[in-house]
Amino acid sequence: METSKPVKRDSFTTGIGVIAATLGSAVGLGNIWKFPALTGLNGGAAFITVYLLSTLMAGLPVMIAELMLGRRSKSDALTTFRVLHPKRESWALIGAAGVLSAFLILAFYTEVAGWVFAYVFKAASGSVLSSDPKVTSAAFASLISDPVQSIFWQCCVLLFVGGIIVLGVSKGIESTTKRLMPVLFLILLMIGVRSLMLPGAAAGLSFLFHPDFSKVTGAVVLTAMGLAFFKLSVGMGTMITYGSYFRDDQNIPMTALRVMLADLTVSLLAGIAIFPAVFTYGFKPEAGPSLLFITIPAVFSQMPFGNVFVVLFFVLGAIAATGAMLSIMEVPVAYLHQRFGFTRFRATALTVALLALIGSTAALSNSTLAGFKLFGMTMFDLYDFLTSNLLLPLGGFFICIFVGWVWGEQKVRAALSNDGALENRAMISTFFFIVRYVAPVTILVILLRGLKII
Ligand code: TRP
C-alpha cells in the first residue's frame, strides 16, 4: 500500500472556479466536432434522444460517482482506489486503465486540436475560405496529409497545454478556464444567432429536432453511449482527479447536473450554429468528422461577414479544446506527482514528451502512416474507437460496481450529503439505485450488443 501522502495539495479555490474547470473539461471538441458529426451521420434527433438517455442512465451517474470518490480520497485516479479500498489492490486497475486512456485520448485529441489551432490562423489569413467545397476539402487534405504541419501543430498544442498545467491546479487550470468559459458562451451565442437568421434555419432545426429512428442500430447506440461518456469526461478518472480538488462544501450532485445541462446546451448550440448553415448552402449533414473543417469554412464564406465568423468559430474550438485537454493531461500529471513525488514541472515534461511520441502515430495517420492499420483502422481511428467505445464504458461500468456494490450505500450517503450538511436524501437514493442497478446493466448490454457479442 501507498504511504505517499501529499504534503500540501493544490485545489480549486472558489465555487465558480470549480464549475468553470469542470465545465471546461466537459465542453470540448466533443461538442463542436464529435456531436454535430455523429448527429449528422446517425439520423439527427433520434441519435440525440439515445445520447440523452445514455447521459441520464450512465454518464451523469458515473460523473457524480467519480467526483465523489476523488473528493473523499483527495488523490489521483489510481491512488484513489488504494486509499478507499486498501484491502484489494486490483481496484486500482480502474485508475491504471484511466491513465492509459488519458494517453490514448490525448494522442488523437491533440491532433484534432492542432488542426483547430491551425485553422484559426488559416481562416484569419483567408487561405482556407472558399464557397467551393472542393477547394475547402483540398485545403484540409493538404494540412492533414502534410507530416511536418501535422506534427508541428500537435507539438504547439502539447506545449501550450503543458505550459498551463505546469502553473498548477488553481493558478493554471482554474484561472484559465474561469476566463475562457464566458468567452466561449459569448462566441457560441453570436454564431448561433447569426445562423438562425439564414434561410435554411428551419430545415436545419428540423433535422436536429426531428427523430428518424430507422437509423438507430446496436452500433449506433454504443456510439451514442460512448459520446455520453466522452462528453462528460467520465470513465477514465478525469472527474476523480478533478473531484480531488473540489472543496468539501461543494454540492457534488448539483454541480454535476449543472455541468451536464450546460454541456448539453453547448452541444445543441453548436448544432444550431452548424446545421442551418449546412442546409442553407446545400451541404450534406453526413459529412462526418470533416464537417467542421471542410463544411464550416465553405458554408460561412458564403454569408455576409462570414470570414469573421469562421475565425470566431475556430477560436471557439481552440478554447473548448484547451479546457478539455487540461483535464485529461492532469490525470497522468497528478498521478506522477503524487505517486512518485515528481515536481509538477517534471511530471508535465514527462507526460508531454511521451505524448509527443504516441501522438505522432495519430498525427501521421493521414500521411506517412496512412497504410499502417490495426483491426482495419488507422492509429487515429483506433485510439478514438478504443477509448470511446471500449475503455470509457468499461471504466464507467467498474466505477459503478465499485460504488454500488463495494463501497456501499452508507459511505455514499455520507459523501454526497457532505456528511449530513446537505438535505438531499431522495436525490442520493435515486443516484444509488441507478449506480447499483440501472447504469451497470445499461452499460453492459449496450457494450455487448454494440460490439456484436450478444
Ligand atoms: N469532454 C471533452 C470533450 O467533449 C473531452 C474530454 C475531456 C474527455 N476529458 C475527458 C473525454 C476524459 C474522455 C475522458 O471534448
Side-chain angles (χ1 to χ4, degrees), residues 144-165:
I144 66 172
S145 62
D146 178 352
V148 178
Q149 280 200 68
S150 304
I151 298 272
F152 171 78
W153 285 107
Q154 184 176 45
C155 285
C156 288
V157 167
L158 280 172
L159 290 176
F160 177 64
V161 176
I164 302 175
I165 287 279

Side-chain angles (χ1 to χ4, degrees), residues 11-24 169-170 173-175 177-178 181 242 245-247 250:
S11 67
F12 299 137
T13 53
T14 62
I16 296 283
V18 168
I19 294 271
T22 314
L23 186 59
V169 176
S170 52
I173 299 176
E174 181 179 354
S175 73
T177 49
K178 216 161 59 184
M181 278 295 115
Y242 269 25
Y245 304 136
F246 269 39
R247 291 142 38 114
Q250 191 80 20

Side-chain angles (χ1 to χ4, degrees), residues 196-214:
L196 283 178
M197 287 165 13
L198 293 171
L205 292 184
S206 105
F207 175 77
L208 257 187
F209 296 112
H210 186 277
D212 171 8
F213 281 100
S214 70

